[in-house]
Amino acid sequence: MSGPNTDYDPVEVTPLKPEEVEAARDAALAAIAGAADLEALKQVRIDHAGDRSALALANREIGALPPQARKEAGQRIGQARGAVTQALAARQAVLEAEHEERMLAEETVDVTLPTDRVPAGARHPLTTGSELIADIFVAMGWEVAEGPVIEAEWLNFDALNLGPDHPARTMQDTFWTDPPESGVVLRTHTSPVQARTMLTRTPPIYVVCPGRVFRTDEYDATHSPVFHQVEGLAIDEGITMAHLKGTLDHFATAMFGEGITTRFRPSYFPFTEPSAEVDLRCFVCRGVDSQDCRTCRGEGWIEWGGCGVVNPRVLTACGVDAERYTGFAFGMGIDRTLMFRHDIEDLRALFEGDVRFTTTFGSEL
Ligand code: DAH
């Protein structure tokens, strides 16, 4: 005799007749086959294999059967439930695979499609080039100094020992502001920043001054009424021409690569004594078999700028004790330097603002 069936719930008694088990199984299999997606299958699983499904309830009834009926009922219900579980697993696998395939298709990105992204601009090579030059000197402990582009005639000329009769002061080279007797010019070089610095600081002074300058030049492949210079000024005790040479050699190497040194040719500038023109070792032929070199036109050297030992008259005019201090100065064209460095054939490319030119420099420096 079996004991009391504690699980027995008369309300949920499910008939255990074979045809009803079959019907429940078939209904489950039909519902599984009809589940269109994973969400639907989830509901089917609850309805047909969940705790309150017909087969689960029937299973619970087995214990209440007389022992001789249990085996057969257990087998029948077990098979039916097994078939449902298998069908669920198979359908789940199919729907998952379908889902994955659909996601892959839906999320495909065509990387060849044109984009509507706004093209990123690029900093102008004159900006990045000026910063590079400044960085070379800042790394040596120098400072960057600046001055106005609209400059006092006295600072642009007189303070630099360019007397009233100096040819650079004529209407030929200089842009004068109206009225002409105002004594205000568009600076013709960055050298007035030397004067400004000496007048406002006490030595030792080590400054580099990149900036825009103006001259009444024609606009062609090698000239422009607006161009850029970098001025250097070092004032200290015991400064000599040798310091100048070493500094410019370092500058040249940093700009153009190892082994590019400088050569001095005697020259004249009112603000330096002695003065020199600086040539740069041609970085294309490096002075070897120069006759065929297009960059230096067979010279082995390229003209780079002017330099010299600061004229004591300039020191005195700018309030520096010329007995105690000496100094050197130099001035180079930045545009020219960049033309060499990047093989730019026409100076105008730097001023036309063509973004196709500028962006080629975008990732540089
Ligand atoms: N200011 C000169 C020019 O524009 C260049 C120059 C030459 C600057 C010699 C200097 C220097 O500082 O020492 O042509």
Side-chain angles (χ1 to χ4, degrees), residues 213-215 217-220 222-227 347 351:
V213 301
F214 307 82
R215 279 185 210 171
D217 280 340
E218 291 298 319
Y219 185 50
D220 60 30
T222 52
H223 296 88
S224 163
V226 185
F227 56 104
L347 172 71
F351 298 110

Side-chain angles (χ1 to χ4, degrees), residues 2-202:
S2 62
N5 179 7
T6 47
D7 283 346
Y8 181 71
D9 177 357
V11 183
E12 292 182 358
V13 167
T14 307
L16 296 177
K17 289 190 206 126
E19 58 277 16
E20 275 167 342
V21 170
E22 246 169 60
R25 182 199 64 195
D26 291 348
L29 294 179
I32 291 167
D37 53 34
L38 289 166
E39 200 51 41
L41 190 65
K42 201 171 159 191
Q43 191 56 47
V44 169
R45 187 187 302 278
I46 294 167
D47 293 344
H48 295 277
D51 285 350
R52 307 189 66 81
S53 64
L55 287 174
L57 292 175
N59 194 48
R60 278 165 57 186
E61 293 308 311
I62 295 171
L65 291 175
Q68 63 275 26
R70 276 187 213 160
K71 189 174 172 208
E72 201 213 333
Q75 244 174 21
R76 197 180 321 121
I77 294 171
Q79 271 168 7
R81 295 185 85 201
V84 171
T85 308
Q86 248 177 34
L88 275 171
R91 187 75 187 136
Q92 175 88 18
V94 169
L95 290 177
E96 269 175 8
E98 265 178 31
H99 175 76
E100 193 145 311
E101 212 149 289
R102 193 163 355 101
M103 293 313 280
L104 281 176
E106 276 172 12
E107 290 173 9
T108 303
V109 176
D110 183 351
V111 292
T112 65
L113 282 178
T115 69
D116 58 357
R117 269 179 53 192
V118 181
R123 301 179 75 214
H124 196 277
L126 274 167
T127 309
T128 50
S130 300
E131 284 180 8
L132 170 71
I133 293 170
D135 283 351
I136 292 168
F137 285 91
V138 167
M140 294 193 287
W142 291 43
E143 288 171 76
V144 177
E146 286 180 340
V149 293
I150 299 172
E151 184 58 283
E153 179 186 358
W154 188 84
L155 289 164
N156 194 80
F157 295 124
D158 302 74
L160 299 169
N161 198 31
L162 276 138
D165 300 328
H166 196 279
R169 291 176 81 129
T170 65
M171 301 301 267
Q172 282 274 296
D173 291 313
T174 309
F175 283 111
W176 298 80
T177 62
D178 264 343
E181 58 279 12
S182 65
V184 175
V185 299
L186 295 189
R187 67 180 179 193
T188 58
H189 50 182
T190 42
S191 302
V193 187
Q194 285 189 33
R196 284 179 171 275
T197 308
M198 286 187 271
L199 284 164
T200 52
R201 299 188 190 198
T202 44

Side-chain angles (χ1 to χ4, degrees), residues 188-191 194 215 229 231-232 269 271-272 306-308 329-331:
T188 58
H189 50 182
T190 42
S191 302
Q194 285 189 33
R215 279 185 210 171
Q229 287 188 335
E231 194 81 14
F269 296 102
F271 29 91
T272 42
C307 66
F330 59 85

Side-chain angles (χ1 to χ4, degrees), residues 152-337:
E153 179 186 358
W154 188 84
L155 289 164
N156 194 80
F157 295 124
D158 302 74
L160 299 169
N161 198 31
L162 276 138
D165 300 328
H166 196 279
R169 291 176 81 129
T170 65
M171 301 301 267
Q172 282 274 296
D173 291 313
T174 309
F175 283 111
W176 298 80
T177 62
D178 264 343
E181 58 279 12
S182 65
V184 175
V185 299
L186 295 189
R187 67 180 179 193
T188 58
H189 50 182
T190 42
S191 302
V193 187
Q194 285 189 33
R196 284 179 171 275
T197 308
M198 286 187 271
L199 284 164
T200 52
R201 299 188 190 198
T202 44
I205 292 170
Y206 292 88
V207 288
V208 66
C209 335
R212 215 167 345 140
V213 301
F214 307 82
R215 279 185 210 171
T216 56
D217 280 340
E218 291 298 319
Y219 185 50
D220 60 30
T222 52
H223 296 88
S224 163
V226 185
F227 56 104
H228 302 79
Q229 287 188 335
V230 57
E231 194 81 14
L233 175 71
I235 307 278
D236 208 336
E237 290 179 22
I239 291 278
T240 71
M241 196 98 173
H243 297 117
L244 170 61
K245 182 84 167 76
T247 305
L248 291 181
D249 280 351
H250 174 74
F251 181 18
T253 303
M255 276 314 268
F256 298 101
E258 212 50 53
I260 303 302
T261 54
T262 58
R263 173 180 82 169
F264 286 179
R265 279 179 292 113
S267 186
Y268 172 76
F269 296 102
F271 29 91
T272 42
E273 182 58 39
S275 302
E277 305 263 356
V278 199
D279 292 342
L280 194 65
R281 183 40 112 187
C282 176
F283 47 85
V284 175
C285 69
R286 291 177 179 254
V288 181
D289 294 333
S290 305
Q291 60 279 1
D292 300 325
C293 181
R294 282 175 41 226
T295 303
C296 64
R297 294 177 209 285
E299 293 289 323
W301 297 93
I302 295 164
E303 269 185 46
W304 198 23
C307 66
V309 171
V310 180
N311 192 320
R313 292 174 64 124
V314 173
L315 295 177
T316 305
C318 297
V320 173
D321 181 353
E323 295 294 321
R324 182 170 172 198
Y325 295 106
T326 52
F328 69 73
F330 59 85
M332 272 77 184
I334 295 181
D335 320 80
R336 210 173 141 69
T337 302

